[in-house]
Amino acid sequence: MGIVHPTSELTPSKADLLADWLPRQSWWPPGAEVRPFEANFRLDDPAGDVGIETFLLPVPGGVAQVPVTYRSAPLDDGVLVGELEHSVLGHRWVYDGPSDPVYVAETTAVIRHAGTEVDLVDSEGHALARRRTTAAVRGSGDGTGELHVVRLVPGTVPEDVTGTLSATWVGQPEPAVLAWLG
């Protein structure tokens, strides 16, 4: 389950972190404005140590997928998006998801085991209503090989993939492939 602290404050905000980081990435469309996300979803770190969240942001010609992880301590080899202060959890290091071994392991597990996004609960364990912006994701239930993340959706997916992670969201009623194993 994904624990949400509804009254928490983040400094800087997630939107501000992404607005600073995304234009500097080689895969980000040149000159594209960083607009508010269309959808997002969370996956679960079974150990409960790492937050895993993916944002789907509109860009010219499609949607950019931006998976991030939130950690309470620095990651030695991760690609740092930035740092923020969480009013409940304290200092957080935010990493590009594909550079974080917990993101890679969990996304791979969701693909292989036909998993889905997590349900959100508040800090006391009460279920939160599904938000309009929540993407519905599903793993295909099979797959071997290395994880490949689609940064710009729709993207090119090879024919010989062995497992996929697909999503739908408001404005995207047909499943879009977000990642594959191969």
Side-chain angles (χ1 to χ4, degrees):
M1 78 189 91
I3 299 173
V4 176
H5 301 274
T7 60
S8 65
E9 294 183 24
L10 303 176
T11 307
S13 69
K14 295 175 189 178
D16 288 342
L17 275 181
L18 294 178
D20 180 56
W21 183 75
L22 286 170
R24 295 183 280 122
Q25 304 315 301
S26 61
W27 52 266
W28 185 256
E33 177 185 358
V34 179
R35 297 175 30 208
F37 67 86
E38 287 185 0
N40 70 327
F41 63 91
R42 292 184 184 212
L43 300 179
D44 192 28
D45 169 17
D49 295 329
V50 178
I52 305 169
E53 185 170 21
T54 296
F55 298 97
L56 301 166
L57 292 86
V59 294
V63 171
Q65 178 185 197
V66 185
V68 298
T69 59
Y70 307 104
R71 291 178 159 269
S72 61
L75 179 63
D76 289 338
D77 294 326
V79 175
L80 185 67
V81 172
E83 298 177 36
L84 59 81
E85 290 298 326
H86 189 288
S87 62
V88 175
L89 301 175
H91 196 81
R92 290 290 177 257
W93 283 262
V94 181
Y95 289 93
D96 183 34
S99 74
D100 190 316
V102 172
Y103 168 84
V104 172
E106 184 55 24
T107 302
T108 300
V110 168
I111 291 171
R112 288 184 179 150
H113 303 294
T116 65
E117 75 281 0
V118 297
D119 293 327
L120 300 179
V121 298
D122 66 19
S123 56
E124 296 176 4
H126 301 107
L128 297 175
R130 185 176 174 87
R131 297 174 293 188
R132 175 174 162 70
T133 59
T134 303
V137 300
R138 171 146 324 265
S140 60
D142 54 2
T144 58
E146 183 179 328
L147 178 68
H148 299 270
V149 175
V150 177
R151 290 295 193 163
L152 300 175
V153 179
T156 304
V157 179
E159 291 184 21
D160 62 346
V161 303
T162 61
T164 61
L165 178 70
S166 298
T168 60
W169 59 91
V170 172
Q172 179 66 45
E174 294 298 318
V177 175
L178 302 180
W180 76 85
L181 298 176

